[in-house]
Coordinates of all heavy atoms in Angstrom, one line a residue:
A2 N -12.9 -16.2 13.0 CA -12.4 -14.9 13.3 C -12.1 -14.8 14.8 O -12.8 -15.5 15.6 CB -13.3 -13.8 12.8
A89 N 4.2 11.1 -3.8 CA 5.6 11.4 -4.0 C 5.8 12.6 -4.9 O 6.6 13.4 -4.6 CB 6.3 10.2 -4.6
R99 N 14.4 16.9 -8.0 CA 14.4 16.3 -9.4 C 14.8 14.8 -9.3 O 16.0 14.5 -9.0 CB 15.4 17.0 -10.3 CG 15.1 18.5 -10.4 CD 16.1 19.3 -11.3 NE 17.5 19.1 -10.8 CZ 18.1 19.8 -9.9 NH1 17.4 20.7 -9.2 NH2 19.3 19.6 -9.5
L103 N 13.7 4.8 -10.3 CA 13.9 3.3 -10.5 C 12.5 2.7 -10.1 O 12.2 2.3 -9.0 CB 15.0 2.8 -9.5 CG 15.2 1.3 -9.6 CD1 15.3 0.7 -11.0 CD2 16.5 1.0 -8.8

Side-chain angles (χ1 to χ4, degrees):
R99 303 178 302 278
L103 178 46

